[in-house]
Amino acid sequence: MPIIPTIKLKMDLVNNGILLSKNSVNNLFGQCEPWQVASITASSILTSYWLWNFLCQDESKFLLLFKKFTFTQIKKIPKFKKQVEEETKKISDLFENEVIENTKSEKYIVELPSQGIPRDELIKTVNRYLNLGKYNWKEGFISGAIYYYDEELIKLLTEVYGYASYTNPLHSDIFPGICKMEAEVVRLVVNLFHGDSNACGTMTSGGTESIIMACKAYRDYGKNECGIKKGEIIVPRSVHPAFDKAACYFGIKIIHIDLNPDTYTVNLKKMENAINKNTLLLVGSFPNFPYGTSDDIEAISALGLKYNIPVHVDCCLGGFIAAFMPQAGFPLPPFDFILPGVTSISADTHKYGYAPKGSSVILYSDKKYRHNQYYVCTEWPGGHYGSPTISGSRSGGIIAACWATLMYFGMNGYITSTKEIMNTKIFIEEQLRSMEGIFIFGKPTTSVIAIGSNDFNIYRLSDALNARGWNLNTLQFPIGIHICITHLHTKPGVASLFIEDLRQELIEILKTPNVQLTGKMAMYGMSATLPDRTIVGDITRYFIDAMYYTPK
């Protein structure tokens, strides 16, 4: 067929199609008044725009919304509703029965005694309560949780806390010494993380509050200084859930970025692609909790500078090891205020800083960020009110005990402790890497070693070690377990015993790798695979409920 007639035929078809469409539209709206045509047109455009955005949004979010809607509807069906209620009741009873078993040697006190209990009897009761539970944590049979245990230090901190237990930094004019201690803690930690004279911060009650305060500060900074009304923070998928908590509390959108499957660190390309005009903050972990791997903070800092976005480094877990590793002989890439793009750091003094529980610091490169962390009320009849953190009144005892801990150890004490922990971590990691049937997630930076398996369900290994008295942390997506090395594991024989017990259980498991999980670990395994995460949320709520168990 000749080319020109063919083109002419196609053009005729197109023209006829356009004419047909035009006539159809004219016939459809011919009886409508102009305002109706304008309204229908605007509505159609807006509806199309909404539908396009909905269908083209992040696939994972779209699937999440679809799953949530689907499972919500399914659970309304009477048959399934009853089945879900029966299964969750079993899980709730499982948690409650575990509490009952752990406390069966003690009666519950649910009413005030008519007469006060004498001192000696109170001390005996407290000591009995503290010895409830099945894990020998003082000998290092647990992962994390207790980072240092020494009778001499405990006596010192108990005495210091007692002296300062009645004080409150909210009343700075009455207790200026407590405020001085807090200021000194902040300044010396700023110096540990290479902050300059402009760097500043506050103490908080723990890593979660430090992170929440940082998110609050950047939300307000973005709103007040940059005009961002609907702020977003971009975080690695491995980041601590305190960021999700902050996003929930403060109405911030949180964007989780996938990890590189080989390194288990944040995918920088995806992080950069997620940046937009509403981005308040970029976040990296050094290290993260699940795997003990560290994000490339230097690269994240560069992204922050490139797009003029603040960068927060979460050092809550390993910050007080990372800060001393170079002096202890273990080089690290730059991760703190030495990088110009890093604007804040969270670090827990109650972990590897060895202070009593309830102390952490949130640090900023400049006071302009810290000012947005504060809460100030100027219209209260009781006077001007201002507080640096979530709490109004705070325990001066915790501040004093934290300050005393830092003074007690000093630079050399922390360097020595870091050296002992890192040598123990290296020994355990080398031994684990030599074993068949398991693998290590990425390259651990400080003290956490995460273990997985391609040959069997790794929760079986956790269950087997639990039976030998070891308490490890379980992971999901993908499933794994980890051990957080603390100073307790540096005691003679502890690390070797852990390796030997793990080796023996691994040999037994590999004889029958396909055996199914049973007991509580079966529940954990099941929860990791449930597509309906609302049920998993309910399981977590029942676990928290059990913590408040008292007999009916």
Side-chain angles (χ1 to χ4, degrees):
M1 183 180 293
I3 295 176
I4 293 178
T6 302
I7 295 176
K8 185 176 184 303
L9 177 61
K10 290 181 178 180
M11 290 298 297
D12 289 341
L13 290 174
V14 171
N15 290 331
N16 290 335
I18 293 173
L19 182 63
L20 180 63
S21 300
K22 183 174 72 173
N23 292 334
S24 298
V25 171
N26 288 335
N27 291 333
L28 183 64
F29 297 105
Q31 305 303 315
C32 295
E33 295 184 21
W35 70 268
Q36 291 177 310
V37 174
S39 298
I40 293 170
T41 302
S43 300
S44 300
I45 292 172
L46 289 173
T47 301
S48 300
Y49 179 74
W50 175 86
L51 185 62
W52 174 263
N53 283 337
F54 181 77
L55 293 175
C56 295
Q57 65 183 314
D58 180 16
E59 182 181 0
S60 60
K61 183 178 178 182
F62 177 81
L63 291 175
L64 183 65
L65 291 171
F66 178 76
K67 286 180 181 179
K68 187 175 182 179
F69 173 79
T70 302
F71 288 117
T72 298
Q73 300 309 309
I74 290 175
K75 284 190 292 185
K76 290 179 180 179
I77 300 172
K79 177 182 177 181
F80 291 108
K81 182 180 180 181
K82 182 180 179 182
Q83 186 176 354
V84 168
E85 288 174 349
E86 289 174 351
E87 291 302 318
T88 52
K89 178 64 167 58
K90 291 178 184 177
I91 293 170
S92 177
D93 291 343
L94 177 68
F95 290 139
E96 195 169 286
N97 290 336
E98 187 172 11
V99 173
I100 294 171
E101 177 64 25
N102 286 334
T103 59
K104 64 182 179 182
S105 62
E106 295 288 338
K107 291 182 179 179
Y108 277 82
I109 303 171
V110 295
E111 293 182 357
L112 282 173
S114 56
Q115 298 295 327
I117 299 174
R119 176 190 181 281
D120 290 346
E121 187 178 341
L122 277 175
I123 296 300
K124 287 180 181 178
T125 302
V126 169
N127 282 325
R128 289 201 315 271
Y129 278 21
L130 292 177
N131 286 317
L132 294 175
K134 63 182 180 179
Y135 295 108
N136 189 1
W137 57 267
K138 292 181 182 179
E139 298 303 319
F141 277 71
I142 59 173
S143 169
I146 306 297
Y147 293 84
Y148 196 95
Y149 185 79
D150 178 77
E151 293 287 350
E152 180 183 349
L153 177 62
I154 288 173
K155 288 178 181 178
L156 169 65
L157 298 183
T158 300
E159 189 173 359
V160 169
Y161 185 91
Y163 285 136
S165 60
Y166 59 90
T167 65
N168 182 356
L170 184 66
H171 304 289
S172 58
D173 54 340
I174 303 174
F175 304 111
I178 289 296
C179 294
K180 179 178 182 292
M181 288 182 186
E182 179 174 10
E184 290 175 353
V185 168
V186 169
R187 179 49 54 187
L188 68 87
V189 180
V190 162
N191 291 337
L192 285 176
F193 290 108
H194 300 102
D196 61 20
S197 59
N198 293 320
C200 57
T202 71
M203 287 185 64
T204 68
S205 63
T208 292
E209 188 182 6
S210 289
I211 289 167
I212 286 175
M213 287 290 86
C215 292
K216 189 268 183 192
Y218 290 119
R219 182 202 65 174
D220 289 1
Y221 180 80
K223 179 180 179 181
N224 297 332
E225 303 299 328
C226 308
I228 300 175
K229 296 180 179 180
K230 296 182 179 180
E232 303 177 3
I233 57 176
I234 301 176
V235 304
R237 197 162 294 280
S238 55
V239 84
H240 194 279
F243 288 95
D244 295 83
K245 197 175 193 178
C248 177
Y249 284 179
F250 299 138
I252 303 170
K253 182 178 179 181
I254 186 166
I255 301 173
H256 296 92
I257 305 300
D258 291 334
L259 307 181
N260 293 309
D262 297 325
T263 62
Y264 287 88
T265 60
V266 70
N267 185 312
L268 292 165
K269 184 65 176 177
K270 290 185 177 181
M271 176 172 272
E272 183 172 13
N273 290 341
I275 293 172
N276 60 55
K277 64 180 181 180
N278 292 320
T279 303
L280 297 170
L281 181 67
L282 305 178
V283 178
S285 302
F286 201 94
N288 62 55
F289 175 86
Y291 312 110
T293 55
S294 292
D295 298 311
D296 187 343
I297 305 301
E298 193 168 8
I300 298 175
S301 169
L303 285 179
L305 292 174
K306 179 179 178 180
Y307 294 99
N308 194 28
I309 298 171
V311 172
H312 179 85
V313 183
D314 178 20
C315 293
C316 285
L317 175 57
F320 270 80
I321 286 185
F324 301 103
M325 279 177 63
Q327 295 101 313
F330 304 95
L332 284 175
F335 67 93
D336 56 16
F337 289 129
I338 204 168
L339 296 170
V342 172
T343 56
S344 59
I345 297 171
S346 52
D348 287 358
T349 43
H350 69 195
K351 288 190 174 72
Y352 292 100
Y354 307 135
K357 291 298 179 185
S359 68
S360 174
V361 291
I362 172 64
L363 309 175
Y364 299 99
S365 62
D366 194 281
K367 287 182 181 178
K368 66 182 181 182
Y369 301 118
R370 186 174 65 174
H371 281 177
N372 284 280
Q373 173 182 303
Y374 299 160
Y375 174 77
V376 175
C377 178
T378 61
E379 308 303 320
W380 182 43
H384 297 169
Y385 174 89
S387 62
T389 58
I390 290 175
S391 300
S393 293
R394 291 183 291 148
S395 171
I398 287 293
I399 293 172
C402 177
W403 177 89
T405 305
L406 297 172
M407 298 301 109
Y408 177 84
F409 278 92
M411 182 67 75
N412 289 337
Y414 283 115
I415 291 173
T416 299
S417 174
T418 297
K419 191 176 297 183
E420 293 169 347
I421 290 172
M422 288 306 299
N423 285 333
T424 302
K425 174 258 183 182
I426 290 169
F427 166 75
I428 291 176
E429 183 180 354
E430 287 177 347
Q431 293 296 312
L432 293 174
R433 288 190 184 276
S434 69
M435 297 181 192
E436 297 292 332
I438 58 174
F439 64 85
I440 304 299
F441 288 91
K443 294 181 179 180
T445 306
T446 56
S447 57
V448 172
I449 305 170
I451 310 167
S453 176
N454 295 318
D455 300 324
F456 63 93
N457 191 313
I458 196 67
Y459 288 168
R460 285 183 63 196
L461 182 57
S462 177
D463 203 21
L465 288 171
N466 191 273
R468 287 182 177 251
W470 297 97
N471 179 273
L472 303 185
N473 298 90
T474 54
L475 313 174
Q476 59 178 356
F477 311 134
I479 63 170
I481 58 177
H482 88 210
I483 180 169
C484 179
I485 311 299
T486 69
H487 194 264
L488 298 177
H489 297 112
T490 68
K491 293 182 177 181
V494 175
S496 297
L497 178 60
F498 171 72
I499 288 298
E500 185 57 31
D501 283 352
L502 189 147
R503 194 189 308 275
Q504 291 300 321
E505 293 300 336
L506 183 58
I507 290 172
E508 290 302 312
I509 289 172
L510 290 176
K511 290 178 182 178
T512 55
N514 297 320
V515 170
Q516 298 298 309
L517 291 167
T518 59
K520 188 164 67 173
M521 280 300 148
M523 185 199 69
Y524 283 129
M526 173 270 296
S527 66
T529 59
L530 277 176
D532 185 2
R533 306 311 293 174
T534 61
I535 293 179
V536 181
D538 289 338
I539 292 172
T540 305
R541 292 180 181 91
Y542 291 132
F543 176 80
I544 298 173
D545 283 345
M547 293 164 57
Y548 294 93
Y549 165 83
T550 54
K552 297 179 181 177

